[in-house]
Amino acid sequence: MEQWAAEVVAFISSSQGWAGPLIATLAFAESMAFLSLLVPFTAMIVASGALLASGTLDPWVIIPWGILGACLGDAVSYWIGRYFGRRVHHVWPFKNDPALLDQGHRFFARWGVLSVFLGRFFGPLRAVVPLVAGVMEMPQGRFQVANVTSAIVWLPLLMLPGAVAGTLFQHVTGFGEKAFVYVFIAFVAFPLVIGLIVWLRKRARP
């Protein structure tokens, strides 16, 4: 999976004319119910941020494309929820993992329209909350306001770590081809290791 993600980032780097639509596709897939549960599109978007720092990609082109893709992903998830309604509980993957959808329902019940904004920033909730909003028949106007505003904030923040890594490692030989690996180590693997250590220490306490 890591090799495939690195190849995607390398393709974006070498196909600048298609970079905008490709980033939009990744953001759409990451925001879309079902798809974002299958492939780590987030890591690809983060790594693509490194290409902004190196000047390979133009942020004034890439970021609007990414925001558009994120908005469309949530919107499609919302309409799937409106279409299926309560029947979505019987649709894969939720019929095999009902806890995921239940978590989205609890989050939505607690935060209401704000859940659409906040949910985009929290892993699996990103794919579930818009779906739940559709199932619960949230008015489309309120949903779209939360959808668009959250995408405007989320996409640049998601690419920021990659851009920082690109700035730090821009003089490293072959950084363009290894962007995904550097970003993964600096901003994904390292925090996971630290989190695991903290969790183990807490578990070890009497």
Side-chain angles (χ1 to χ4, degrees), residues 8-89:
V8 170
V9 175
F11 182 75
I12 292 174
S13 176
S14 62
S15 307
Q16 297 181 33
W18 288 95
L22 288 171
I23 293 295
T25 302
L26 293 177
F28 173 85
E30 178 59 28
S31 304
M32 170 68 179
F34 312 111
L35 291 179
S36 64
L37 300 174
L38 300 177
V39 181
F41 296 104
T42 297
M44 301 180 199
I45 299 173
V46 173
S48 297
L51 303 177
L52 301 180
S54 66
T56 303
L57 301 180
D58 183 354
W60 297 107
V61 174
I62 297 303
I63 290 178
W65 272 103
I67 291 172
L68 175 62
C71 289
L72 290 176
D74 268 20
V76 171
S77 299
Y78 170 83
W79 282 109
I80 290 175
R82 288 293 292 261
Y83 176 79
F84 282 100
R86 297 291 181 177
R87 292 175 297 160
V88 77
H89 290 81

Side-chain angles (χ1 to χ4, degrees), residues 40 50 70 92 123 130 158:
W92 180 91
L158 192 60

Side-chain angles (χ1 to χ4, degrees), residues 2 16 19 30 32 38 71-73 97 113 120 129-131 139 142 162-163 165 167 177-178 187 199:
E2 179 181 326
Q16 297 181 33
E30 178 59 28
M32 170 68 179
L38 300 177
C71 289
L72 290 176
D97 188 9
V113 66
R120 194 185 288 278
V129 171
L131 189 73
R142 295 172 64 187
T167 301
E177 293 75 15
K178 302 174 182 177
F187 295 98
W199 181 78

Side-chain angles (χ1 to χ4, degrees), residues 88-168:
V88 77
H89 290 81
H90 305 292
V91 177
W92 180 91
F94 304 116
K95 66 178 181 180
N96 298 328
D97 188 9
L100 184 61
L101 200 57
D102 291 341
Q103 183 182 16
H105 274 287
R106 290 194 298 270
F107 192 77
F108 181 84
R110 180 176 182 181
W111 296 102
V113 66
L114 192 59
S115 67
V116 179
F117 184 94
L118 297 175
R120 194 185 288 278
F121 299 89
F122 295 97
L125 287 174
R126 183 162 46 248
V128 175
V129 171
L131 189 73
V132 172
V135 171
M136 302 302 291
E137 297 185 352
M138 172 185 283
Q140 183 180 179
R142 295 172 64 187
F143 172 81
Q144 295 298 352
V145 169
N147 176 24
V148 173
T149 54
S150 65
I152 291 173
V153 177
W154 173 75
L155 198 282
L157 284 180
L158 192 60
M159 302 193 82
L160 180 61
V164 172
T167 301
L168 295 176

